[in-house]
Amino acid sequence: MFTLNRLPSPALVRVIAYSDPATWWALGDSYICALINSTSFRCGWVSHLAKGFRAPAAITCIEDIDTQRRKVLDPVTSIFGSEAWISGNFVRALSANYPVTFNAIALGLVKTLLLNGDRNTAALVIQRSHARLDIFDGRFVRDLVVQRPEMWMLQWLAVSGLDFEELYSRGHCFDMSQLTDWVMASRVELLRFLAGRGLRLPVRSLMEYALGHSQPDLVEFLISHDSGYAHELSWNDLLLMACTEASTRLDVFVYVASKTEPSIVWAFAAACLASHAMADDCAYKKFMALRSLPNAAEWIVKPIRGQTPIERLCERLTYENIVHISPFIRDYIALGVSTANMPSIVSALCQ
């Protein structure tokens, strides 16, 4: 009686690959399962799936790579339960025996491997293929880094020969949206890596997010990165920004204030905090942190454009903000600021 097991292996490989390998696998036949589990079968099956998907045709957009992974690689993964079947041996065998298929699906292989953290096999694919990581003006790299925003990913890209400056200049990778996400997650190590590759980061724009969402070390990095460029951001500039932004974290404000020197800027900063007290629950704590700095008492009471701090605050008084502003006025009075022309209602609140 004839059985499939009597067919030569190459013929049986073709029969199974061109039908439904998952059904054959489910039969549980040890011989057939061993055959399906072989590198040669996987190569033949992937080649068959690639032809069905017309993978050798040029990839025209980033979505084609994900479609390729879904149509060519996922069916194999569904049998074995993970992408571990994409091994170094598989890559070598596919590139040697099916070079057209291998080059056609190389980027799909790279993405699958990197998203699973297999840097070594991904590097092998790059070495043996014609794949270019900078395809689609950097959109492919952007997709990788967005999904795996890790230092090892950036290091792998660098070792693989990616020109970060060139990619950055195209405007589709490491753009403002991507950098902002890193700032808000305090991923200073990623930003520092890009700066080390020669990228000029948009410090002023990023700083607006850093003040309210990042740690002091990221703020320190951004301002040091800006140093030496035209119109560089100073610590005094940053202090005024931190006072204006109600979302500025208290620890960041304290750190920024500690980096400044006694000057009239402290008077502006204190007045700004007081005037924004209604919008910023931490405004008074920030004011107290500024007041506690050496020689601060001398500077935060200085008149600004001929007006005392109390006069400036009283100009902005409303029924809504008077309760929020009164603690600042009490402190100014304690520091010796004149109460001339202060409304009686304010005097009553500040007793």
Side-chain angles (χ1 to χ4, degrees), residues 108-130:
L109 289 170
V110 167
K111 183 172 184 179
T112 299
L113 289 163
L114 287 178
L115 294 185
N116 282 283
D118 190 346
R119 290 165 274 179
N120 293 334
T121 308
L124 184 62
V125 174
I126 293 296
Q127 291 167 14
R128 299 178 74 97
S129 72
H130 303 146

Side-chain angles (χ1 to χ4, degrees), residues 24 46 108 127 149 154 217 223 322 324-325:
W24 290 94
V46 165
Q127 291 167 14
L154 296 180
D217 62 337
I223 203 163
I322 189 170
H324 298 278
I325 288 178

Side-chain angles (χ1 to χ4, degrees), residues 208-283:
E208 294 177 9
Y209 297 94
L211 291 172
H213 301 278
S214 298
Q215 304 291 334
D217 62 337
L218 192 143
V219 173
E220 169 76 43
F221 161 72
L222 286 177
I223 203 163
S224 64
H225 177 66
D226 203 41
S227 178
Y229 291 100
H231 311 297
E232 68 180 70
L233 197 62
S234 69
W235 285 109
N236 281 345
D237 295 330
L238 195 53
L239 178 62
L240 295 178
M241 285 178 63
C243 294
T244 304
E245 292 290 333
S247 63
T248 299
R249 289 167 49 120
L250 179 59
D251 60 341
V252 170
F253 177 86
V254 171
Y255 181 75
V256 171
S258 71
K259 291 289 187 176
T260 60
E261 298 292 332
S263 71
I264 193 63
V265 171
W266 285 5
F268 278 97
C272 186
L273 287 169
S275 63
H276 288 84
M278 188 172 174
D280 184 359
D281 292 339
C282 290

Side-chain angles (χ1 to χ4, degrees), residues 183-216:
V183 165
M184 295 181 71
S186 286
R187 300 301 302 274
V188 64
E189 75 281 7
L190 303 182
L191 297 169
R192 186 175 286 118
F193 181 90
L194 294 185
R197 307 302 297 188
L199 275 64
R200 171 78 168 95
L201 304 178
V203 168
R204 286 180 180 267
S205 298
L206 293 176
M207 194 67 83
E208 294 177 9
Y209 297 94
L211 291 172
H213 301 278
S214 298
Q215 304 291 334

Side-chain angles (χ1 to χ4, degrees), residues 74-94:
D74 285 359
V76 187
T77 299
S78 67
I79 285 183
F80 300 114
S82 75
E83 287 84 3
W85 63 272
I86 310 176
S87 62
N89 287 337
F90 169 79
V91 169
R92 294 183 189 92
L94 188 66

